[in-house]
Amino acid sequence: LITLTYVLGTLSIFNVSYGLLLALLTTALPDRVGGFFRAVWFIPRASPSVVYALLWSWVVAPTNYGLLNQVLAMFGLPGLDLKSDAPMVVVILANGFIGASFGMIIFTGAIRSIPQHLFHAARVDGAGALAITWHVTLPAIRWQISFVTIYQALSLLVSFEYIWLITNGGPFYDTTVYALYVYRRAFDNGQYAYGAALALGLVIVGIAVALALWRFFDMKALLQKPRIEVN
């Protein structure tokens, strides 16, 4: 249940939805402004995991030196201890913000590859920005959305480094996802055979999820032969 909450929450809110929103917004801006924003947003993904995790630990630190509590103190609000009171929120936020950058890059390239005459035709027909996004942009990048969803779902199933560095799976086992549990069994407890068996179960789950999403998104249609023959 913890793993399911972590995967679905991070995937639906950030890795796909927020990444798509960032791509739509940055491609609507002038090229230099949009490119600068994407480069800044991509910095955490290019930085070491330890540095990124330490920054999040500082942000949500329950002391007066934590960035979040400093901001709350400026408005006269009491401090928060999110790592104890809402650890899953911290985990989803930390993984989501860095995961959204991957979707942002993929979706940006897909949006830029859409022929411009489709947008011009939609504007001539009187379509507004929201109508163009819904009827032109989103259908044109359907396969990229499907790919990012499948790839990120499988990636989240086996990722645990940020959880391990920020919350260490705690408090108690509140943020111990399956992959982190496998790691602890194998390397902390020295139960290598048991950890390998658990990891094999994770591989089976990953295959099942990949096949289910492949069928749900009808990815087989992407591999069909072109209907127009080109000599």
Side-chain angles (χ1 to χ4, degrees):
L1 182 59
I2 294 175
T3 304
L4 184 63
T5 303
Y6 161 67
V7 172
L8 292 181
T10 309
L11 182 68
S12 60
I13 299 174
F14 288 98
N15 290 19
V16 178
S17 301
Y18 194 58
L20 179 59
L21 178 62
L22 290 174
L24 292 172
L25 292 177
T26 55
T27 51
L29 297 173
D31 290 342
R32 290 186 178 181
V33 177
F36 174 78
F37 183 85
R38 285 190 295 271
V40 171
W41 195 273
F42 199 76
I43 289 176
R45 177 170 284 273
S47 62
S49 301
V50 175
V51 175
Y52 181 73
L54 287 175
L55 287 175
W56 269 100
S57 297
W58 168 59
V59 170
V60 300
T63 64
N64 295 330
Y65 299 101
L67 178 62
L68 178 61
N69 286 342
Q70 290 184 34
V71 174
L72 292 175
M74 293 173 57
F75 295 96
L77 299 174
L80 297 175
D81 185 5
L82 292 181
K83 290 179 70 173
S84 298
D85 299 333
M88 184 55 68
V89 173
V90 176
V91 167
I92 291 176
L93 288 174
N95 282 273
F97 276 105
I98 199 171
S101 61
F102 176 82
M104 176 187 67
I105 298 300
I106 298 296
F107 296 144
T108 298
I111 292 172
R112 286 186 168 182
S113 66
I114 300 174
Q116 290 297 312
H117 70 268
L118 297 178
F119 298 107
H120 299 325
R123 294 189 184 96
V124 169
D125 290 338
L130 292 178
I132 292 175
T133 301
W134 184 258
H135 295 288
V136 178
T137 305
L138 294 182
I141 63 173
R142 170 194 170 189
W143 299 119
Q144 287 79 8
I145 294 175
S146 302
F147 164 75
V148 170
T149 302
I150 297 174
Y151 177 84
Q152 293 285 43
L154 297 178
S155 177
L156 289 170
L157 279 175
V158 299
S159 68
F160 66 89
E161 65 271 19
Y162 296 119
I163 302 175
W164 183 40
L165 292 170
I166 297 174
T167 67
N168 197 27
F172 301 104
Y173 290 93
D174 289 351
T175 56
T176 301
V177 295
Y178 188 83
L180 180 56
Y181 179 76
V182 173
Y183 174 85
R184 282 181 165 178
R185 282 292 183 178
F187 296 100
D188 288 352
N189 299 339
Q191 298 175 314
Y192 300 107
Y194 184 49
L198 292 175
L200 180 60
L202 186 59
V203 171
I204 295 174
V205 171
I207 293 174
V209 171
L211 293 176
L213 291 176
W214 179 280
R215 186 174 182 83
F216 176 79
F217 289 111
D218 193 20
M219 295 294 289
K220 187 177 180 180
L222 182 63
L223 306 177
Q224 291 180 354
K225 295 182 179 180
R227 299 180 180 178
I228 302 177
E229 295 183 359
V230 179
N231 295 325

